[in-house]
Amino acid sequence: MRIGWERGMAMAESAKGVLTRVLKKVLRGKIALVAGATRGAGRGIAVALGEAGATVYCTGRSSRRLSRTATAGRPETIEETAEMVTAAGGRGIAVRVDHTELAQVKKLVARIKRQHKGLDILVNDIWGGDPLTEFGKTFWTLNLENGLHMLKQAVHSHIITSHYAVPLMLGRGGGIIFEITDGDAFYYRGNLFYDLVKISVIRLAFAMARELRKRDITSVALTPGFLRSERVLEHFGVSEANWKEAGKKGNINQNSPDQNDAPSDFMASESPRYIGRAVVALAADPKVKTKSGRVFSSWALAREYGFTDVDGTCPDWGKYARKKYGKYKICDEQFYSYWVPGLVELAFPDWF
């Protein structure tokens, strides 16, 4: 039994109902920071942590205190996310932070230390790269300024946040770092800078895990499937309440020339809460250290831990994608065997 869910879920009249009740208990007393919690996966993760009873610092750049949100055309704010966390059963704390600014991150971490003495869960989900991404274009024709900005916004920010936040996790026992990515494989992702970002955060999870391997802190990367974010729902002209209506419009198998948006694929999508519940499952697993340094998917973890999406289903984007587009190799045991041990670790085993 991983975290005491399976028996309760099996005996329940409804997996969805039991999951909601149980999640309200497993992380009570834990302090979490979701960096990039304004919308999308970050918001879903923050709310799921609230379901599990955690206190969640919800950070991002879009705030009600500003005349306009930091992401053009998007209305979501960190205050909304914090309120959703509290409504779900946790305690949400909104703090406006630009995670590319060292002084702001340092100030945030000092506040967490002052108010709660330490940190148990760190989620690095800072992204904001959608308007900067040009899929299907060669690297020598891309907008170089946008690409370099994407690296700063979605890789540098993760490094900065971990640098300042991880010392708060030392000595707490059972801490965990999440790097949110796209995809559980080493394949190319259709844009040089997008690819560098998503592979880099997987590598960050691995590198941090190697330096933390003798400490009681786990570091993993985590990917959702086709995510029903606020922006994606808007793209399809639906809401979370009626999202399946998108499958009734036009040619359901037709992708746009520059992105994967076929309505048939959208029918295999998942809500942001699904990856949130994957975060909760890992954070509550006393044996999670065995997973450190690796990348996981929401759908595979749902099979392992038995959680569901908000509608009680278990979307499996990996299975769907392989059936429709063909088999591709994921990061498996053989893949990781090439990473450990490395030459530097063999030469200097006492460095970390």
Side-chain angles (χ1 to χ4, degrees), residues 103-280:
Q104 291 187 33
V105 178
K106 189 175 181 180
K107 183 178 179 181
L108 165 68
V109 170
R111 175 177 173 175
I112 297 173
K113 182 177 182 179
R114 183 174 66 252
Q115 293 180 335
H116 290 98
K117 309 302 180 186
L119 184 68
D120 302 297
I121 300 164
L122 170 60
V123 180
N124 279 320
D125 184 54
I126 309 109
W127 167 229
D130 289 328
L132 304 174
T133 306
E134 303 169 275
F135 284 116
K137 294 182 68 173
T138 54
F139 66 84
W140 58 92
T141 62
L142 294 173
N143 183 308
L144 185 59
E145 184 177 348
N146 284 350
L148 294 175
H149 183 60
M150 193 193 305
L151 295 178
K152 178 181 179 182
Q153 191 162 279
V155 178
H156 296 186
S157 61
H158 290 218
I159 296 170
I160 292 166
T161 304
S162 293
H163 174 84
Y164 286 112
V166 168
L168 287 188
M169 306 175 75
L170 298 173
R172 298 273 289 186
I176 184 166
I177 305 165
F178 293 93
E179 287 289 336
I180 306 304
T181 188
D182 179 11
D184 58 347
F186 206 69
Y187 52 70
Y188 177 60
R189 287 161 169 78
N191 170 285
L192 183 143
F193 292 104
Y194 186 95
D195 184 69
L196 281 175
V197 167
K198 302 307 179 181
I199 287 296
S200 292
V201 296
I202 293 174
R203 185 68 187 189
L204 274 176
F206 169 77
M208 290 189 292
R210 298 315 297 163
E211 295 193 13
L212 290 166
R213 65 187 184 275
K214 297 178 184 178
R215 301 175 185 270
D216 195 14
I217 299 177
T218 299
S219 173
V220 297
L222 184 58
T223 181
F226 197 134
L227 191 72
R228 288 197 304 275
S229 67
E230 296 86 352
R231 185 184 65 83
V232 170
L233 288 169
E234 186 176 275
H235 174 78
F236 282 98
V238 293
S239 68
E240 182 60 32
N242 72 338
W243 67 272
K244 290 186 179 180
E245 292 298 311
K248 302 176 183 179
K249 302 176 182 180
N251 184 347
I252 64 171
N253 293 311
Q254 182 66 49
N255 280 316
S256 295
D258 62 343
Q259 61 181 311
N260 172 34
D261 64 349
S264 58
D265 291 357
F266 183 61
M267 292 300 97
S269 66
E270 62 195 59
S271 83
R273 199 78 60 84
Y274 200 45
I275 190 171
R277 289 175 172 175
V279 165
V280 171

Side-chain angles (χ1 to χ4, degrees), residues 284-336:
D285 185 351
K287 297 181 180 179
V288 72
K289 185 73 171 177
T290 62
K291 299 181 183 295
S292 201
R294 302 190 175 194
V295 59
F296 299 92
S297 65
S298 56
W299 57 92
L301 292 173
R303 290 196 302 268
E304 179 178 354
Y305 289 96
F307 60 83
T308 68
D309 206 342
V310 290
D311 60 359
T313 64
C314 294
D316 191 326
W317 172 253
K319 181 178 180 181
Y320 170 85
R322 284 191 295 274
K323 182 177 180 181
K324 180 174 181 178
Y325 294 105
K327 292 183 178 180
Y328 61 92
K329 293 182 178 180
I330 66 171
C331 298
D332 57 12
E333 291 293 333
Q334 183 178 7
F335 177 80
Y336 291 115

